Amino acid sequence: MEYDIKGIPLSEEAYNDYRRKRKKRRNIILLVVVFKVIIAIAAILFFYFTAKNVVKDTNVLVEAHEAVYDNEKVVTATGGIVKVNIMNSTIDIDAFSGDAEFDIEVVGKEKNVNVHLHLSQTHDGWEADEILIEE
């Protein structure tokens, strides 16, 4: 039996060696492609879940600001709110519920106060459970 590659005659040993190397090269290329696909999927999942948590955190931050600005006791104690600074926060969120606590400095027109705020996540969104004003 005669063996040839692209019209070049080869011995059986050389032909088998060529086929082995070609198969090995094809397997290496396949492994590299599979590895790159796995890395790409992992990166996409990482960014998806990271962005999902950032959006959830953003929602609770917006609700915390609204809870302070809408609270009449805080507005009265400060003489009108100029600025809100979140000093410290703890946010725990899982798939079905969440809790958040904030220590907030409220800069007012007449005086500044510190506010401790606790929010809970419900099916409808975040709700302020407790607002404590520390003067």
Side-chain angles (χ1 to χ4, degrees):
M1 186 172 214
E2 289 187 30
Y3 297 97
D4 68 77
I5 300 172
K6 298 181 183 178
I8 302 171
L10 296 172
S11 67
E12 183 178 355
E13 182 182 331
Y15 180 75
N16 288 337
D17 188 45
Y18 168 78
R19 289 190 57 182
R20 224 176 308 116
K21 286 180 181 177
R22 187 173 177 160
K23 187 176 181 181
K24 186 176 181 180
R25 187 178 332 129
R26 185 179 58 221
N27 287 343
I28 290 172
I29 291 171
L30 182 63
L31 284 174
V32 168
V33 168
V34 168
F35 180 73
K36 286 183 178 182
V37 167
I38 289 172
I39 294 296
I41 290 170
I44 289 168
L45 290 174
F46 173 76
F47 288 118
Y48 170 76
F49 287 112
T50 301
K52 188 176 177 182
N53 285 334
V54 168
V55 169
K56 284 184 178 181
D57 290 351
T58 302
N59 290 342
V60 72
L61 290 172
V62 168
E63 187 60 39
H65 274 92
E66 288 177 0
V68 171
Y69 278 102
D70 293 344
N71 188 285
E72 286 297 321
K73 292 180 183 177
V74 175
V75 173
T76 303
T78 58
I81 299 173
V82 175
K83 185 166 104 174
V84 173
N85 297 321
I86 295 178
M87 306 303 285
N88 192 11
S89 65
T90 304
I91 302 170
D92 284 324
I93 301 173
D94 62 25
F96 304 107
S97 64
D99 279 321
E101 290 193 31
F102 296 94
D103 291 322
I104 301 171
E105 175 192 27
V106 181
V107 178
K109 293 178 183 174
E110 296 175 11
K111 70 176 186 174
N112 301 343
V113 296
N114 291 325
V115 174
H116 180 80
L117 174 65
H118 181 266
L119 293 106
S120 295
Q121 186 180 26
T122 64
H123 296 295
D124 299 327
W126 289 93
E127 291 183 8
D129 293 8
E130 175 182 28
I131 298 178
L132 299 174
I133 301 170
E134 303 164 4
E135 297 186 40

PDB file of all heavy atoms in Angstrom, residues 47-70:
ATOM      1  N   PHE A  47     -19.704  39.018  35.474  1.00  0.00           N
ATOM      2  CA  PHE A  47     -20.155  40.389  35.263  1.00  0.00           C
ATOM      3  C   PHE A  47     -21.673  40.506  35.403  1.00  0.00           C
ATOM      4  O   PHE A  47     -22.168  41.516  35.894  1.00  0.00           O
ATOM      5  CB  PHE A  47     -19.682  40.924  33.918  1.00  0.00           C
ATOM      6  CG  PHE A  47     -18.208  41.199  33.893  1.00  0.00           C
ATOM      7  CD1 PHE A  47     -17.375  40.519  33.025  1.00  0.00           C
ATOM      8  CD2 PHE A  47     -17.639  42.111  34.761  1.00  0.00           C
ATOM      9  CE1 PHE A  47     -16.018  40.762  33.019  1.00  0.00           C
ATOM     10  CE2 PHE A  47     -16.279  42.360  34.766  1.00  0.00           C
ATOM     11  CZ  PHE A  47     -15.467  41.679  33.885  1.00  0.00           C
ATOM     12  N   TYR A  48     -22.405  39.500  34.996  1.00  0.00           N
ATOM     13  CA  TYR A  48     -23.856  39.527  35.128  1.00  0.00           C
ATOM     14  C   TYR A  48     -24.257  39.603  36.599  1.00  0.00           C
ATOM     15  O   TYR A  48     -25.052  40.456  36.993  1.00  0.00           O
ATOM     16  CB  TYR A  48     -24.477  38.298  34.469  1.00  0.00           C
ATOM     17  CG  TYR A  48     -25.946  38.140  34.768  1.00  0.00           C
ATOM     18  CD1 TYR A  48     -26.877  38.942  34.117  1.00  0.00           C
ATOM     19  CD2 TYR A  48     -26.397  37.227  35.707  1.00  0.00           C
ATOM     20  CE1 TYR A  48     -28.230  38.820  34.405  1.00  0.00           C
ATOM     21  CE2 TYR A  48     -27.735  37.101  35.987  1.00  0.00           C
ATOM     22  CZ  TYR A  48     -28.657  37.893  35.332  1.00  0.00           C
ATOM     23  OH  TYR A  48     -29.982  37.776  35.627  1.00  0.00           O
ATOM     24  N   PHE A  49     -23.710  38.700  37.418  1.00  0.00           N
ATOM     25  CA  PHE A  49     -24.094  38.688  38.830  1.00  0.00           C
ATOM     26  C   PHE A  49     -23.551  39.896  39.577  1.00  0.00           C
ATOM     27  O   PHE A  49     -24.197  40.404  40.494  1.00  0.00           O
ATOM     28  CB  PHE A  49     -23.668  37.382  39.495  1.00  0.00           C
ATOM     29  CG  PHE A  49     -24.514  36.220  39.059  1.00  0.00           C
ATOM     30  CD1 PHE A  49     -23.983  35.206  38.289  1.00  0.00           C
ATOM     31  CD2 PHE A  49     -25.854  36.166  39.401  1.00  0.00           C
ATOM     32  CE1 PHE A  49     -24.777  34.148  37.879  1.00  0.00           C
ATOM     33  CE2 PHE A  49     -26.654  35.111  38.992  1.00  0.00           C
ATOM     34  CZ  PHE A  49     -26.110  34.092  38.226  1.00  0.00           C
ATOM     35  N   THR A  50     -22.394  40.388  39.197  1.00  0.00           N
ATOM     36  CA  THR A  50     -21.858  41.600  39.813  1.00  0.00           C
ATOM     37  C   THR A  50     -22.757  42.795  39.477  1.00  0.00           C
ATOM     38  O   THR A  50     -23.109  43.581  40.362  1.00  0.00           O
ATOM     39  CB  THR A  50     -20.421  41.867  39.331  1.00  0.00           C
ATOM     40  OG1 THR A  50     -19.613  40.740  39.673  1.00  0.00           O
ATOM     41  CG2 THR A  50     -19.849  43.111  39.973  1.00  0.00           C
ATOM     42  N   ALA A  51     -23.120  42.930  38.224  1.00  0.00           N
ATOM     43  CA  ALA A  51     -23.996  44.039  37.818  1.00  0.00           C
ATOM     44  C   ALA A  51     -25.363  43.922  38.475  1.00  0.00           C
ATOM     45  O   ALA A  51     -25.955  44.923  38.876  1.00  0.00           O
ATOM     46  CB  ALA A  51     -24.140  44.058  36.297  1.00  0.00           C
ATOM     47  N   LYS A  52     -25.855  42.712  38.620  1.00  0.00           N
ATOM     48  CA  LYS A  52     -27.158  42.505  39.259  1.00  0.00           C
ATOM     49  C   LYS A  52     -27.127  42.992  40.709  1.00  0.00           C
ATOM     50  O   LYS A  52     -28.050  43.669  41.159  1.00  0.00           O
ATOM     51  CB  LYS A  52     -27.501  41.018  39.198  1.00  0.00           C
ATOM     52  CG  LYS A  52     -28.874  40.667  39.642  1.00  0.00           C
ATOM     53  CD  LYS A  52     -29.114  39.180  39.433  1.00  0.00           C
ATOM     54  CE  LYS A  52     -30.470  38.773  39.946  1.00  0.00           C
ATOM     55  NZ  LYS A  52     -30.685  37.334  39.789  1.00  0.00           N
ATOM     56  N   ASN A  53     -26.053  42.699  41.421  1.00  0.00           N
ATOM     57  CA  ASN A  53     -25.939  43.163  42.808  1.00  0.00           C
ATOM     58  C   ASN A  53     -25.733  44.666  42.884  1.00  0.00           C
ATOM     59  O   ASN A  53     -26.236  45.313  43.795  1.00  0.00           O
ATOM     60  CB  ASN A  53     -24.802  42.435  43.531  1.00  0.00           C
ATOM     61  CG  ASN A  53     -25.187  41.022  43.882  1.00  0.00           C
ATOM     62  OD1 ASN A  53     -26.357  40.720  44.042  1.00  0.00           O
ATOM     63  ND2 ASN A  53     -24.208  40.156  43.989  1.00  0.00           N
ATOM     64  N   VAL A  54     -25.009  45.234  41.940  1.00  0.00           N
ATOM     65  CA  VAL A  54     -24.818  46.683  41.931  1.00  0.00           C
ATOM     66  C   VAL A  54     -26.145  47.390  41.724  1.00  0.00           C
ATOM     67  O   VAL A  54     -26.444  48.378  42.384  1.00  0.00           O
ATOM     68  CB  VAL A  54     -23.788  47.101  40.849  1.00  0.00           C
ATOM     69  CG1 VAL A  54     -23.799  48.597  40.616  1.00  0.00           C
ATOM     70  CG2 VAL A  54     -22.400  46.636  41.244  1.00  0.00           C
ATOM     71  N   VAL A  55     -26.969  46.861  40.834  1.00  0.00           N
ATOM     72  CA  VAL A  55     -28.282  47.463  40.595  1.00  0.00           C
ATOM     73  C   VAL A  55     -29.149  47.346  41.842  1.00  0.00           C
ATOM     74  O   VAL A  55     -29.824  48.293  42.235  1.00  0.00           O
ATOM     75  CB  VAL A  55     -28.974  46.803  39.376  1.00  0.00           C
ATOM     76  CG1 VAL A  55     -30.424  47.209  39.276  1.00  0.00           C
ATOM     77  CG2 VAL A  55     -28.232  47.178  38.109  1.00  0.00           C
ATOM     78  N   LYS A  56     -29.119  46.189  42.515  1.00  0.00           N
ATOM     79  CA  LYS A  56     -29.888  46.042  43.745  1.00  0.00           C
ATOM     80  C   LYS A  56     -29.412  47.032  44.797  1.00  0.00           C
ATOM     81  O   LYS A  56     -30.204  47.652  45.488  1.00  0.00           O
ATOM     82  CB  LYS A  56     -29.754  44.613  44.288  1.00  0.00           C
ATOM     83  CG  LYS A  56     -30.568  43.598  43.549  1.00  0.00           C
ATOM     84  CD  LYS A  56     -30.429  42.251  44.218  1.00  0.00           C
ATOM     85  CE  LYS A  56     -31.268  41.207  43.531  1.00  0.00           C
ATOM     86  NZ  LYS A  56     -31.143  39.901  44.193  1.00  0.00           N
ATOM     87  N   ASP A  57     -28.092  47.182  44.932  1.00  0.00           N
ATOM     88  CA  ASP A  57     -27.548  48.129  45.894  1.00  0.00           C
ATOM     89  C   ASP A  57     -27.959  49.554  45.536  1.00  0.00           C
ATOM     90  O   ASP A  57     -28.243  50.356  46.409  1.00  0.00           O
ATOM     91  CB  ASP A  57     -26.019  48.027  45.966  1.00  0.00           C
ATOM     92  CG  ASP A  57     -25.559  46.732  46.628  1.00  0.00           C
ATOM     93  OD1 ASP A  57     -26.421  46.007  47.172  1.00  0.00           O
ATOM     94  OD2 ASP A  57     -24.359  46.450  46.590  1.00  0.00           O
ATOM     95  N   THR A  58     -27.992  49.878  44.256  1.00  0.00           N
ATOM     96  CA  THR A  58     -28.386  51.209  43.827  1.00  0.00           C
ATOM     97  C   THR A  58     -29.836  51.493  44.214  1.00  0.00           C
ATOM     98  O   THR A  58     -30.160  52.584  44.670  1.00  0.00           O
ATOM     99  CB  THR A  58     -28.209  51.345  42.301  1.00  0.00           C
ATOM    100  OG1 THR A  58     -26.855  51.070  41.980  1.00  0.00           O
ATOM    101  CG2 THR A  58     -28.566  52.728  41.826  1.00  0.00           C
ATOM    102  N   ASN A  59     -30.701  50.510  44.055  1.00  0.00           N
ATOM    103  CA  ASN A  59     -32.108  50.691  44.430  1.00  0.00           C
ATOM    104  C   ASN A  59     -32.245  51.014  45.909  1.00  0.00           C
ATOM    105  O   ASN A  59     -33.030  51.869  46.294  1.00  0.00           O
ATOM    106  CB  ASN A  59     -32.917  49.435  44.100  1.00  0.00           C
ATOM    107  CG  ASN A  59     -33.076  49.227  42.617  1.00  0.00           C
ATOM    108  OD1 ASN A  59     -32.897  50.136  41.825  1.00  0.00           O
ATOM    109  ND2 ASN A  59     -33.401  48.008  42.235  1.00  0.00           N
ATOM    110  N   VAL A  60     -31.503  50.327  46.748  1.00  0.00           N
ATOM    111  CA  VAL A  60     -31.610  50.573  48.182  1.00  0.00           C
ATOM    112  C   VAL A  60     -31.018  51.932  48.540  1.00  0.00           C
ATOM    113  O   VAL A  60     -31.524  52.618  49.429  1.00  0.00           O
ATOM    114  CB  VAL A  60     -30.979  49.422  49.005  1.00  0.00           C
ATOM    115  CG1 VAL A  60     -29.484  49.412  48.916  1.00  0.00           C
ATOM    116  CG2 VAL A  60     -31.408  49.515  50.452  1.00  0.00           C
ATOM    117  N   LEU A  61     -29.984  52.370  47.841  1.00  0.00           N
ATOM    118  CA  LEU A  61     -29.413  53.694  48.096  1.00  0.00           C
ATOM    119  C   LEU A  61     -30.405  54.799  47.728  1.00  0.00           C
ATOM    120  O   LEU A  61     -30.554  55.779  48.462  1.00  0.00           O
ATOM    121  CB  LEU A  61     -28.109  53.879  47.333  1.00  0.00           C
ATOM    122  CG  LEU A  61     -26.933  53.047  47.820  1.00  0.00           C
ATOM    123  CD1 LEU A  61     -25.762  53.178  46.862  1.00  0.00           C
ATOM    124  CD2 LEU A  61     -26.522  53.459  49.211  1.00  0.00           C
ATOM    125  N   VAL A  62     -31.067  54.628  46.607  1.00  0.00           N
ATOM    126  CA  VAL A  62     -32.081  55.613  46.190  1.00  0.00           C
ATOM    127  C   VAL A  62     -33.200  55.666  47.220  1.00  0.00           C
ATOM    128  O   VAL A  62     -33.644  56.750  47.625  1.00  0.00           O
ATOM    129  CB  VAL A  62     -32.631  55.257  44.785  1.00  0.00           C
ATOM    130  CG1 VAL A  62     -33.873  56.067  44.466  1.00  0.00           C
ATOM    131  CG2 VAL A  62     -31.558  55.467  43.734  1.00  0.00           C
ATOM    132  N   GLU A  63     -33.643  54.504  47.683  1.00  0.00           N
ATOM    133  CA  GLU A  63     -34.715  54.461  48.673  1.00  0.00           C
ATOM    134  C   GLU A  63     -34.269  55.085  49.997  1.00  0.00           C
ATOM    135  O   GLU A  63     -35.057  55.749  50.674  1.00  0.00           O
ATOM    136  CB  GLU A  63     -35.179  53.017  48.891  1.00  0.00           C
ATOM    137  CG  GLU A  63     -36.395  52.909  49.765  1.00  0.00           C
ATOM    138  CD  GLU A  63     -37.611  53.638  49.218  1.00  0.00           C
ATOM    139  OE1 GLU A  63     -37.836  53.610  47.993  1.00  0.00           O
ATOM    140  OE2 GLU A  63     -38.336  54.250  50.022  1.00  0.00           O
ATOM    141  N   ALA A  64     -33.015  54.890  50.380  1.00  0.00           N
ATOM    142  CA  ALA A  64     -32.503  55.494  51.619  1.00  0.00           C
ATOM    143  C   ALA A  64     -32.526  57.024  51.511  1.00  0.00           C
ATOM    144  O   ALA A  64     -32.951  57.707  52.445  1.00  0.00           O
ATOM    145  CB  ALA A  64     -31.087  55.000  51.900  1.00  0.00           C
ATOM    146  N   HIS A  65     -32.074  57.554  50.381  1.00  0.00           N
ATOM    147  CA  HIS A  65     -32.116  59.009  50.191  1.00  0.00           C
ATOM    148  C   HIS A  65     -33.558  59.524  50.244  1.00  0.00           C
ATOM    149  O   HIS A  65     -33.842  60.536  50.891  1.00  0.00           O
ATOM    150  CB  HIS A  65     -31.472  59.399  48.861  1.00  0.00           C
ATOM    151  CG  HIS A  65     -29.999  59.578  48.943  1.00  0.00           C
ATOM    152  ND1 HIS A  65     -29.120  58.562  48.685  1.00  0.00           N
ATOM    153  CD2 HIS A  65     -29.244  60.655  49.277  1.00  0.00           C
ATOM    154  CE1 HIS A  65     -27.884  59.002  48.840  1.00  0.00           C
ATOM    155  NE2 HIS A  65     -27.931  60.266  49.205  1.00  0.00           N
ATOM    156  N   GLU A  66     -34.449  58.839  49.558  1.00  0.00           N
ATOM    157  CA  GLU A  66     -35.850  59.271  49.546  1.00  0.00           C
ATOM    158  C   GLU A  66     -36.467  59.219  50.943  1.00  0.00           C
ATOM    159  O   GLU A  66     -37.230  60.110  51.321  1.00  0.00           O
ATOM    160  CB  GLU A  66     -36.658  58.407  48.579  1.00  0.00           C
ATOM    161  CG  GLU A  66     -36.353  58.683  47.123  1.00  0.00           C
ATOM    162  CD  GLU A  66     -37.119  57.770  46.182  1.00  0.00           C
ATOM    163  OE1 GLU A  66     -37.901  56.908  46.654  1.00  0.00           O
ATOM    164  OE2 GLU A  66     -36.922  57.908  44.962  1.00  0.00           O
ATOM    165  N   ALA A  67     -36.121  58.176  51.716  1.00  0.00           N
ATOM    166  CA  ALA A  67     -36.678  58.053  53.065  1.00  0.00           C
ATOM    167  C   ALA A  67     -36.237  59.220  53.940  1.00  0.00           C
ATOM    168  O   ALA A  67     -37.028  59.735  54.740  1.00  0.00           O
ATOM    169  CB  ALA A  67     -36.246  56.724  53.689  1.00  0.00           C
ATOM    170  N   VAL A  68     -34.994  59.661  53.788  1.00  0.00           N
ATOM    171  CA  VAL A  68     -34.504  60.784  54.593  1.00  0.00           C
ATOM    172  C   VAL A  68     -35.149  62.090  54.125  1.00  0.00           C
ATOM    173  O   VAL A  68     -35.637  62.877  54.937  1.00  0.00           O
ATOM    174  CB  VAL A  68     -32.966  60.881  54.519  1.00  0.00           C
ATOM    175  CG1 VAL A  68     -32.459  62.158  55.157  1.00  0.00           C
ATOM    176  CG2 VAL A  68     -32.335  59.662  55.188  1.00  0.00           C
ATOM    177  N   TYR A  69     -35.169  62.345  52.821  1.00  0.00           N
ATOM    178  CA  TYR A  69     -35.731  63.587  52.300  1.00  0.00           C
ATOM    179  C   TYR A  69     -37.233  63.692  52.553  1.00  0.00           C
ATOM    180  O   TYR A  69     -37.758  64.792  52.712  1.00  0.00           O
ATOM    181  CB  TYR A  69     -35.458  63.724  50.792  1.00  0.00           C
ATOM    182  CG  TYR A  69     -34.084  64.256  50.477  1.00  0.00           C
ATOM    183  CD1 TYR A  69     -33.071  63.407  50.065  1.00  0.00           C
ATOM    184  CD2 TYR A  69     -33.793  65.606  50.588  1.00  0.00           C
ATOM    185  CE1 TYR A  69     -31.809  63.887  49.770  1.00  0.00           C
ATOM    186  CE2 TYR A  69     -32.537  66.109  50.295  1.00  0.00           C
ATOM    187  CZ  TYR A  69     -31.543  65.239  49.888  1.00  0.00           C
ATOM    188  OH  TYR A  69     -30.299  65.726  49.601  1.00  0.00           O
ATOM    189  N   ASP A  70     -37.935  62.553  52.597  1.00  0.00           N
ATOM    190  CA  ASP A  70     -39.388  62.568  52.791  1.00  0.00           C
ATOM    191  C   ASP A  70     -39.806  62.567  54.257  1.00  0.00           C
ATOM    192  O   ASP A  70     -40.991  62.728  54.551  1.00  0.00           O
ATOM    193  CB  ASP A  70     -40.032  61.356  52.099  1.00  0.00           C
ATOM    194  CG  ASP A  70     -39.909  61.427  50.587  1.00  0.00           C
ATOM    195  OD1 ASP A  70     -39.615  62.525  50.062  1.00  0.00           O
ATOM    196  OD2 ASP A  70     -40.114  60.388  49.929  1.00  0.00           O
TER     197      ASP A  70
END
